[in-house]
Amino acid sequence: MRPIRMAPVLFRTLLAAALSVTVGAQSKQPPAPSDYGQWETLAAQSRGGLSPDGRWLVYGLNRSNRENELRIMNVADGTTITAPFGSQPVFSADSKWIAYAIGYSETEEEKLRKQKKPVQRKLGIMKLTSGETPTSDVTTDRITTIEGVESFAFDAAGTHLALRRYPIERKEPPAPTLPAADDGSPAPGATLIVRELATGRDTTFGNVAECAWQDKGPLLAFTINADEKIGNGVHLFDPSTSALRVLDSAAAGYVGLNWRKDADDLVVLRATTDERHEGATHAVIAWTPVSAAERSRHVYEPSSDRSFPAGMRTVAFRKPSWSEEGDIVFLGIARWNDKPAKDKTRKDDKSETADDEEEPAAVDVWHARDVEVIPRQKISAANDRRRNMLAAWHVSTGSFVPLGKDLFEQITPIKRQKLADVASWPAYAMDRSIGRAAADLALVDLSTGTRTKLIDRIDDGYVQASPGGRYLLFLNADHCWTIDIRSRAITNITKTVQTSFVNRESDATIKQKPTFGVAGWTKDDEAVILYDKFDMWQVASDGSRATRLTDGAAQQVRHRYVRLNPDDEWIDVEKPVAVSLFGIWTKRSGYGWLNAAAKSVEHRVWLDKSVTGLGKAKNADVYSYVAQSFEDSPDIFVGGPDLPSAKAVTATNPFQATFAWGRAELVEYKSERGARLQGALYYPAGYEAGKKYPMIVYLYERLSDGLHRYVAPSERDYYNTGVFTSQGYVVLQPDIVFRPREPGVSVVECVGPAVKKIVSMGVADGARVGVVGHSWGGFDTAYLTTHTDIFAAGVAGAPITDLVSNYGNHHWSSGIAETDHIETGQQRMEVPLYEDLPAYIRNSAVFTVQNMKTPLLIEVGDGDGTVFWHQGIELYNIARRAKKDVVLLAYAGEDHGLRKKANQIDYQHRILQWFGHYLRNEPAPPWITSGVSVLEREQELQRASKKGS
């Protein structure tokens, strides 16, 4: 740990002043690659990283060289403690302690893996008040470091910390506690330590598989999982009295330990196996309350219940959960498969056929009636094996009620009701597999399992229950509808509202366009707060009235609710409500307080920057947010509800003042079809007015909203805007809007005018414009370089180049057929290949290669599971045949994005060399002019190996 004893803002001011003396009048230089490593990005934590009392702030600082750290700051005086490679910080409820994981540098992790040693994190515990922590662990001032901690959690009061070490690694794996066919097996046992933080006194338990604190209360429940099952059971520990109680014990596995929220009720599953079945079924044990005598114990044994569905079992891979009232435990049930019968004749069968059949044929059967194609089935096989149906165990009566009827439906219990909603889609399974989501809605009675049909086929499949359990909300036919659960009345609540809550401007090619979103519900479910494009609307749950709460449309400012307390069920519109603000045309952003009665929003912070991450301390009126721009490194601001008075408490990248840096500007233009569009324009470091610069155009759908995003330069982020501007390029990120069945044509319609706009401004040299994009941006680049002559060079990473051949392919990472992705995904082709073949040809790069004038660099990873890498090869081969200027970079073992450090750096360097040659007339390295043969590459690797040794 490295204590820092100076407020960060003061430090930045002093450093900048000192540097100005040394730099003096000499001109600043842009950062060079050797400078990139020090650059920082901010990783703010949840709720703004504030302690419950608002006196402390924790945040992550990630550097381009991966020398990351966690910083813990006293907000009042700026005193900061730095934890190298710290992560996952958690404050205690009383704000007296913070605990966090401590990892390793990238180099250290790689070294451990090469040595085949486990990568085990440490635990850091810091006392946030004065004094030392009296322990035998490694202690520095107020910091305690404990080796080999896999997980940790504070109790509800913040007085104790439970930490579980890593299980002991064994050379010979122990016999499984449960058969391997059951994926719900208990975790291997490990040492659990419960530390009393005030004294440092530890209580230790061995072979602990799971542990869980009460939400409110001092009790810690844990399960024991020993190798020989000796001592297995469920234990209850009260650290305030050191009392330990065994709740249940058996030579079995215990899994799924779960407390009821804010209650004294506990449930667990206990495994039972037999010789006839694969895997295990489970008894369910509940204590209501757990602190009472033995009479509070309730047990459900499926094998003893004659009404339990035949051939089924309770499963551990759906964790048991409680109803809000605590009278029901929800469980998962699935088929209990028989073990395959042994073929007693095989050993004595000496026939030739028997020998041939010893090893089964390696064949997959792909059938046209498969709802999911075989590649998808293979990827989802683990999840499919764990599919189960919901059931309700009524704890007090002991009755068990199956609720599910099909593995492919979603059943969600409704709060404050003895009902659950059912979204069932087996009838639309094939439609869903090709991107057309649909479902039928029903209700199921938790006491009887009886179903009541509500509505057939909604094309979105989305349904949400109100927090009070009075209504269901769903989307259909471009409107929002509610179902009154008591009367079953179905009402179109937005029918008469003079706005659209569905984004009809969306270029998604699905039947039901997406909504702008749901903020939440008002008290007692009286109304739901919906979003239109700009505003928040309070719409009565029965559709009787609708009130616009904000006035964003007039200023073209988007207003969205900010939930500062994650425990809030309802939005209390009688009190000030926090809202985020974003000017869709100005790109200004900030936060305000909504006065619903006055229908007005007071802007508290409203800047020509990106303002995000508003958070509040749980128990204090202390707020934080992050502000940044392309020129101004992101920092955290902390203050009271009067956000303008918030002060910057961090000072990232203070050294930036010593370098020349670019700036951002918002530009407007119109597409060839007259659509109003915008783009983010980034000027090169050290820009001189009147000088025309080479320009790189980076593409990926709509990008202008990211105008104010700060980009730390890095050699490993190969399309890095900060690197491009530091290298002397203007960078343009234009918006692209797509028309159905015309993805490539749309790119030309939008990007061409954007380039012309910047050239007309006198900023960029029209003869030195390059274009780059990855994945869908790679499609854009490949299409532009084969259908226009406005670019001097292009770089297409993992591009889609042929919609015709790709239509019959697979999205291998997810396993889905590209028929889904192409028709309803980013390609937006809307209809199958055979219904509009000319459109598929017209929007593919490969069919106009003969007209290609732009030198193109193509990047692929030969393990790409998102865009089949043969798409890049296809364009390369056809362009090569047409004698065009094309180079393909194929990275071995890489997926859709490069993961290996050496490959990331290599690709960025080649991009800069490619653009350097074609946009700045720099000498071309041999790989551009003549390529690199296999033998030459072998020699390169040999030289690199000798240099490394």
Side-chain angles (χ1 to χ4, degrees):
M1 304 303 163
R2 303 194 296 270
I4 300 174
R5 302 300 183 187
M6 183 180 291
V9 176
L10 175 61
F11 171 73
R12 179 165 62 180
T13 303
L14 294 175
L15 179 61
L19 291 172
S20 67
V21 174
T22 58
V23 173
Q26 69 183 38
S27 61
K28 297 178 181 179
Q29 296 298 313
S34 59
D35 301 312
Y36 296 165
Q38 63 188 315
W39 245 271
E40 302 164 343
T41 57
L42 197 62
Q45 307 302 320
S46 61
R47 281 208 302 274
L50 292 166
S51 60
D53 64 4
R55 297 182 179 182
W56 294 86
L57 175 75
V58 63
Y59 61 96
L61 208 61
N62 298 335
R63 293 190 176 87
S64 294
N65 61 11
R66 305 308 197 262
E67 293 295 316
N68 303 335
E69 61 192 33
L70 192 73
R71 291 187 174 181
I72 305 158
M73 174 189 294
N74 183 312
V75 174
D77 62 15
T79 301
T80 301
I81 301 295
T82 300
F85 309 108
S87 64
Q88 297 180 291
V90 181
F91 286 106
S92 61
D94 59 6
S95 299
K96 294 181 179 179
W97 302 88
I98 187 172
Y100 48 89
I102 302 172
Y104 299 88
S105 70
E106 191 175 46
T107 302
E108 288 172 320
E109 278 197 16
E110 184 62 28
K111 182 179 179 181
L112 288 170
R113 290 192 177 96
K114 285 182 178 179
Q115 295 173 346
K116 296 184 179 180
K117 293 182 179 179
V119 180
Q120 297 187 348
R121 297 182 303 176
K122 305 172 187 177
L123 174 69
I125 308 172
M126 176 180 168
K127 190 173 185 180
L128 300 178
T129 54
S130 60
E132 291 190 3
T133 308
T135 71
S136 58
D137 300 301
V138 179
T139 305
T140 304
D141 192 16
R142 290 146 43 185
I143 309 287
T144 300
T145 303
I146 306 173
E147 299 282 342
V149 176
E150 185 177 46
S151 59
F152 57 92
F154 286 106
D155 68 344
T159 57
H160 291 80
L161 179 68
L163 52 106
R164 183 175 177 271
R165 293 191 180 276
Y166 287 88
I168 297 174
E169 292 199 355
R170 301 172 176 85
K171 293 183 179 179
E172 294 294 330
T177 307
L178 296 176
D182 189 344
D183 291 334
S185 301
T191 299
L192 174 70
I193 300 172
V194 181
R195 171 161 296 184
E196 184 177 51
L197 293 165
T199 64
R201 183 168 62 91
D202 289 341
T203 305
T204 303
F205 305 96
N207 295 315
V208 173
E210 294 182 56
C211 63
W213 291 105
Q214 281 181 297
D215 291 329
K216 294 181 179 178
L219 301 178
L220 177 71
F222 59 89
T223 61
I224 298 294
N225 179 30
D227 286 351
E228 305 299 327
K229 300 183 182 179
I230 299 173
N232 282 12
V234 183
H235 295 237
L236 192 68
F237 179 57
D238 186 344
S240 62
T241 63
S242 297
L244 179 66
R245 177 182 164 197
V246 179
L247 298 177
D248 194 76
S249 62
Y254 292 83
V255 291
L257 197 67
N258 199 9
W259 291 96
R260 181 160 72 94
K261 184 179 179 181
D262 299 337
D264 199 20
D265 301 338
L266 181 69
V267 67
V268 74
L269 302 178
R270 184 179 65 201
T272 301
T273 61
D274 64 35
E275 295 181 352
R276 296 181 297 109
H277 294 95
E278 291 184 332
T281 189
H282 299 79
V284 193
I285 311 173
W287 293 267
T288 58
V290 74
S291 56
E294 183 65 19
R295 65 179 181 274
S296 72
R297 183 174 183 267
H298 307 269
V299 181
Y300 176 72
E301 288 276 8
S303 59
S304 302
D305 183 0
R306 293 183 178 179
S307 66
F308 188 81
M312 305 289 282
R313 63 171 176 146
T314 54
V315 295
F317 35 78
R318 181 194 284 262
K319 190 172 185 177
S321 59
W322 291 92
S323 65
E324 191 173 42
E325 298 78 11
D327 57 338
I328 298 174
V329 171
F330 296 104
L331 305 163
I333 60 173
R335 185 169 299 281
W336 200 3
N337 295 323
D338 293 336
K339 289 182 178 178
K342 294 181 179 179
D343 188 349
K344 297 180 180 180
T345 66
R346 297 296 298 167
K347 290 185 178 180
D348 300 326
D349 189 350
K350 304 299 184 180
S351 67
E352 182 179 348
T353 303
D355 291 338
D356 292 343
E357 292 181 356
E358 284 184 2
E359 184 176 332
V363 61
D364 293 324
V365 179
W366 296 35
H367 198 283
R369 293 183 181 177
D370 289 338
V371 172
E372 297 286 359
V373 292
I374 292 296
R376 174 64 175 172
Q377 291 181 41
K378 287 183 175 181
I379 288 173
S380 61
N383 288 333
D384 289 343
R385 280 190 289 268
R386 296 161 66 98
R387 285 191 182 276
N388 57 87
M389 296 178 290
L390 190 68
W393 173 43
H394 295 260
V395 179
S396 58
T397 65
S399 65
F400 185 88
V401 182
L403 303 175
K405 291 185 177 181
D406 191 283
L407 294 174
F408 294 89
E409 61 182 12
Q410 179 67 45
I411 302 179
T412 308
I414 301 171
K415 285 185 177 181
R416 301 175 174 89
Q417 295 282 352
K418 299 302 179 185
L419 299 165
D421 65 73
V422 183
S424 179
W425 55 82
Y428 315 108
M430 187 65 79
D431 285 347
R432 291 177 69 90
S433 76
I434 54 173
R436 278 80 172 177
D440 298 331
L441 296 186
L443 289 176
V444 58
D445 190 304
L446 301 181
S447 300
T448 65
T450 303
R451 291 197 177 193
T452 303
K453 185 172 73 173
L454 295 175
I455 187 171
D456 287 337
R457 184 156 189 148
I458 57 172
D459 286 317
D460 179 80
Y462 163 85
V463 61
Q464 177 194 108
S466 60
R470 292 176 57 187
Y471 296 93
L472 295 179
L473 175 73
F474 67 94
L475 173 68
N476 207 37
D478 281 357
H479 282 281
C480 296
W481 305 66
T482 58
I483 302 175
D484 187 315
I485 290 178
R486 289 170 295 187
S487 68
R488 307 292 197 265
I490 301 176
T491 306
N492 182 342
I493 63 171
T494 59
K495 182 178 181 180
T496 61
V497 185
Q498 298 303 304
T499 189
S500 175
F501 299 102
V502 170
N503 184 7
R504 292 177 179 145
E505 298 175 6
S506 168
D507 52 26
T509 54
I510 51 178
K511 183 175 181 180
Q512 177 56 67
K513 300 287 189 180
T515 65
F516 288 106
V518 180
W521 300 72
T522 61
K523 191 174 182 180
D524 298 325
D525 298 350
E526 291 296 332
V528 60
I529 296 180
L530 303 173
Y531 300 136
D532 69 4
K533 184 175 181 179
F534 296 104
D535 290 304
M536 299 164 57
W537 288 74
Q538 184 174 324
V539 182
S541 301
D542 60 3
S544 59
R545 63 192 179 280
T547 304
R548 190 177 66 185
L549 301 178
T550 59
D551 191 22
Q555 293 84 31
Q556 301 282 282
V557 174
R558 186 171 65 222
H559 292 65
R560 297 295 183 255
Y561 169 64
V562 180
R563 190 182 300 274
L564 293 173
N565 183 354
D567 296 327
D568 286 345
E569 281 193 293
W570 288 290
I571 300 174
D572 188 351
V573 292
E574 296 180 0
K575 297 179 180 179
V577 174
V579 295
S580 66
L581 309 166
F582 181 77
I584 67 165
W585 297 111
T586 66
K587 312 307 177 187
R588 292 174 65 91
S589 62
Y591 292 98
W593 258 242
L594 166 66
N595 183 329
K599 300 178 184 177
S600 65
V601 175
E602 179 188 355
H603 290 199
R604 294 293 179 90
V605 55
W606 180 235
L607 304 174
D608 195 17
K609 291 186 175 185
S610 169
V611 181
T612 58
L614 182 66
K616 178 185 177 297
K618 184 175 182 179
N619 302 323
D621 269 344
V622 179
Y623 297 78
S624 67
Y625 63 85
V626 176
Q628 64 180 303
S629 69
F630 182 73
E631 301 88 33
D632 187 9
S633 181
D635 280 311
I636 301 174
F637 291 72
V638 175
D642 183 21
L643 296 181
S645 64
K647 304 295 184 184
V649 295
T650 62
T652 59
N653 300 314
F655 49 80
Q656 180 183 312
T658 64
F659 295 99
W661 197 255
R663 62 180 176 86
E665 180 181 320
L666 186 65
V667 294
E668 291 215 12
Y669 59 97
K670 289 186 178 181
S671 74
E672 291 179 359
R673 296 174 64 86
R676 181 185 180 186
L677 297 175
Q678 294 182 308
L681 180 66
Y682 302 95
Y683 287 81
Y687 171 74
E688 299 176 19
K691 181 179 177 180
K692 292 184 178 181
Y693 290 81
M695 181 167 71
I696 295 174
V697 182
Y698 178 79
L699 304 174
Y700 199 96
E701 299 190 343
R702 290 180 179 264
L703 295 174
S704 67
D705 284 358
L707 173 75
H708 294 306
R709 184 173 68 92
Y710 184 84
V711 182
S714 168
E715 287 187 288
R716 298 177 63 174
D717 177 13
Y718 30 83
Y719 306 123
N720 188 286
T721 305
V723 169
F724 291 157
T725 57
S726 71
Q727 293 285 320
Y729 293 100
V730 173
V731 177
L732 172 64
Q733 296 181 3
D735 287 342
I736 302 170
V737 293
F738 292 91
R739 293 191 285 127
R741 306 192 206 182
E742 300 289 6
V745 174
S746 298
V747 171
V748 173
E749 292 172 349
C750 297
V751 176
V755 172
K756 291 178 182 178
K757 169 70 175 184
I758 307 307
V759 172
S760 70
M761 292 168 56
V763 175
D765 182 347
R768 296 188 294 157
V769 179
V771 60
V772 61
H774 192 87
S775 189
W776 188 235
F779 165 87
D780 299 342
T781 298
Y783 192 85
L784 286 165
T785 57
T786 56
H787 285 77
T788 71
D789 58 2
I790 60 177
F791 297 103
V795 177
I800 300 166
T801 67
D802 184 351
L803 297 182
V804 176
S805 65
N806 202 42
Y807 185 79
N809 211 321
H810 287 274
H811 197 287
W812 294 100
S813 292
S814 64
I816 62 173
E818 281 290 355
T819 50
D820 166 15
H821 196 222
I822 287 182
E823 291 178 32
T824 63
Q826 285 180 307
Q827 285 94 321
R828 302 169 175 88
M829 291 307 291
E830 193 173 41
V831 297
L833 171 77
Y834 45 81
E835 289 189 14
D836 196 350
L837 180 58
Y840 277 77
I841 294 173
R842 184 170 62 248
N843 288 278
S844 297
V846 296
F847 294 105
T848 50
V849 167
Q850 70 276 11
N851 300 325
M852 182 178 177
K853 297 179 180 179
T854 306
L856 180 63
L857 177 65
I858 304 170
E859 177 274 335
V860 295
D862 68 6
D864 193 333
T866 302
V867 175
F868 191 39
W869 71 302
H870 286 192
Q871 284 285 300
I873 293 174
E874 192 173 328
L875 178 57
Y876 163 78
N877 277 331
I878 297 172
R880 175 178 173 274
R881 173 65 181 84
K883 300 180 180 179
K884 301 299 180 181
D885 194 350
V886 61
V887 174
L888 177 82
L889 304 176
Y891 289 94
E894 289 283 14
D895 203 331
H896 194 53
L898 303 179
R899 296 291 182 266
K900 298 177 183 177
K901 177 181 178 180
N903 292 342
Q904 292 169 337
I905 295 174
D906 179 83
Y907 183 33
Q908 187 188 84
H909 287 181
R910 293 184 191 274
I911 291 172
L912 294 175
Q913 289 172 344
W914 185 263
F915 284 140
H917 174 61
Y918 287 106
L919 305 187
R920 302 203 303 201
N921 297 319
E922 294 174 358
W927 70 267
I928 292 179
T929 57
S930 55
V932 181
S933 70
V934 171
L935 297 182
E936 288 171 335
R937 181 59 180 158
E938 286 178 357
Q939 293 172 357
E940 285 182 358
L941 293 174
Q942 288 173 359
R943 288 193 295 269
S945 176
K946 290 179 181 178
K947 184 178 180 181
S949 61

